[in-house]
Amino acid sequence: MPVATPHLRVDLGRLRRNVRRVADQAAAAQISLRPHAKTHKSLEIARLQLAMGARGLTVATVGEAEAFVRGGCTDVFIAYPLWVDDARAERLRDLAEQARVAIGVDSVYSAANLGRRLGGTGVEVLVEVDSGHHRTGVRPKEAGEVARAAARVGLPVRGVFTFPGHGYSPGAAQEVVAAEAAALRRARESVAAEGLEVQVLSGGSTPTLAASLGDAGAGGSAAGADGVARITELRPGVYVFGDAQQWELGTTEPDDIALTARATVVSHAGGRVVLDAGSKVLGADRAAYATGYGRILDRPKARIVSLSEHHAVVEWPGRRPRLGTQVDVVPNHVCAAVNLADSMWVEEAGRLRPWPVAARGLNS
């Protein structure tokens, strides 16, 4: 039976190719891969990543960690500066009995709170540093102070991490990766000065992935010419699917895009093409550099110029598709689109089957 539109559709061959390619590149560069599972929120995809060599998963929330640990993952890093209350501490203690668990911390005050609630449980921490995105994270030179505070209250310090989110900008990847490397080096020195071992320097994102791997690969390892460790762990997420943002940044080719929203042409009002996939399917994200609210996979010049809850209005150069035609839309931000769906429909050998979005909506 056909699946009604709109729905998310996954090309399994492309998905597997994307996962394998990045796993192989990370292995060649001698960097651990810890993919961010908030992109796909899928147990099936997580298992594929782990089977292909990922050392564990990155997640954004305790709820996501719980879902993936229940699904069989034994090593999760919550890459977020959690503020932990009694209820969340109990959940983290339960998780630590089932898997290796680490969380982010970016202040002495938060470290003290974590120590009161989680000290001695085996939950580890990584100190978050700001490498230029200016969202969360301490200045690299202050990482040692936070690490010392965590260690004093019984929290094992695994290392330091950052998110180079300012890499989501055209032409910025090389400069951002250099700044990320410098921040992680300085943070490592700060923590080491407190007499603490830094096991992990964690960073990376999909837009900066090629630059990170190239930087490491230049020396055949995750160390530069000066022999100082630059990065030991990468946490990209979007690479499994690709999306319109990555397409516009030039980090994903159309032939590699593994997830689209299948939509139907429902109107030609105003001389435009109107689809039945609106913001409740595609998400409403539009980066400053984006040329629309999404793209059409096999019509590169078409752009979604207006988006409402159940309508996508498309400027479609040339002959418009007939009413009732189905098209594949590439969401701007695939993480947001996946979180809006109960299931993704996986296509292989002409057949479709549903994969549940197991960690959907687990925002706490």
Side-chain angles (χ1 to χ4, degrees):
M1 176 181 291
V3 181
T5 63
H7 64 265
L8 298 186
R9 199 176 190 96
V10 176
D11 184 316
L12 187 55
R14 291 184 179 189
L15 171 68
R16 285 174 172 159
R17 188 174 71 210
N18 293 343
V19 173
R20 171 56 68 192
R21 180 179 64 250
V22 173
D24 288 348
Q25 290 171 345
Q30 301 177 42
I31 300 178
S32 295
L33 187 63
R34 185 182 289 277
H36 210 314
K38 75 176 177 66
T39 294
H40 56 73
K41 301 181 186 293
S42 161
L43 299 179
E44 288 82 0
I45 298 175
R47 290 164 184 154
L48 179 64
Q49 291 173 314
L50 293 168
M52 290 190 180
R55 72 172 303 158
L57 298 178
T58 303
V59 296
T61 69
V62 177
E64 288 179 353
E66 289 167 333
F68 287 108
V69 169
R70 284 196 303 267
C73 180
T74 59
D75 190 334
V76 292
F77 169 40
I78 305 171
Y80 194 88
L82 292 175
W83 180 258
V84 175
D85 57 14
D86 288 341
R88 194 161 289 171
E90 183 176 357
R91 293 165 67 193
L92 286 165
R93 287 193 293 269
D94 289 344
L95 275 174
E97 293 177 356
Q98 305 169 64
R100 188 182 187 193
V101 177
I103 61 178
V105 61
D106 75 346
S107 73
V108 169
Y109 190 61
S110 182
N113 178 62
L114 291 173
R116 286 193 299 270
R117 302 178 189 277
L118 294 171
T121 63
V123 174
E124 300 171 87
V125 298
L126 281 81
V127 178
E128 183 175 11
V129 298
D130 179 9
S131 58
H133 187 41
H134 306 319
R135 186 176 65 182
T136 51
V138 297
R139 291 182 296 178
K141 67 180 182 180
E142 297 168 352
E145 181 183 2
V146 178
R148 181 180 71 242
R152 280 179 173 174
V153 292
L155 296 169
V157 178
R158 185 187 296 180
V160 296
F161 80 104
T162 191
F163 173 58
H166 49 315
Y168 277 81
S169 181
Q174 291 290 345
E175 181 180 350
V176 168
V177 166
E180 176 188 41
L184 289 172
R185 280 201 305 271
R186 181 66 185 90
R188 176 177 179 264
E189 293 166 357
S190 177
V191 175
E194 299 293 338
L196 298 171
E197 180 184 0
V198 177
Q199 302 172 42
V200 174
L201 302 176
S202 181
S205 66
T206 296
T208 61
L209 185 58
S212 294
L213 290 168
D215 186 49
S221 71
D226 56 7
V228 177
R230 292 183 176 177
I231 195 165
T232 66
E233 179 180 273
L234 288 169
R235 308 188 319 275
V238 176
Y239 77 97
V240 296
F241 292 139
D243 59 18
Q245 289 185 154
Q246 303 301 324
W247 189 356
E248 299 219 6
L249 288 171
T251 57
T252 295
E253 296 297 325
D255 288 346
D256 293 325
I257 291 174
L259 183 143
T260 55
R262 178 64 58 90
T264 297
V265 178
V266 295
S267 177
H268 286 163
R272 293 172 169 174
V273 171
V274 182
L275 308 176
D276 63 354
S279 62
K280 287 185 173 179
V281 174
L282 301 175
D285 284 12
R286 181 174 179 176
Y289 57 82
T291 56
Y293 289 95
R295 301 183 68 170
I296 310 302
L297 186 60
D298 61 354
R299 292 292 186 272
K301 293 183 179 180
R303 293 293 188 280
I304 298 175
V305 296
S306 175
L307 199 65
S308 53
E309 290 182 67
H310 298 285
H311 303 72
V313 179
V314 188
E315 288 283 6
W316 193 291
R319 191 172 188 176
R320 291 172 298 177
R322 291 178 298 179
L323 297 181
T325 301
Q326 293 189 353
V327 299
D328 286 322
V329 182
V330 183
N332 271 348
H333 185 188
V334 73
C335 306
V338 168
N339 195 50
L340 293 169
D342 292 323
S343 298
M344 298 174 281
W345 289 88
V346 180
E347 183 175 12
E348 185 178 30
R351 296 184 177 182
L352 290 174
R353 66 181 187 275
W355 277 0
V357 182
R360 179 190 179 191
L362 300 179
N363 297 321
S364 65

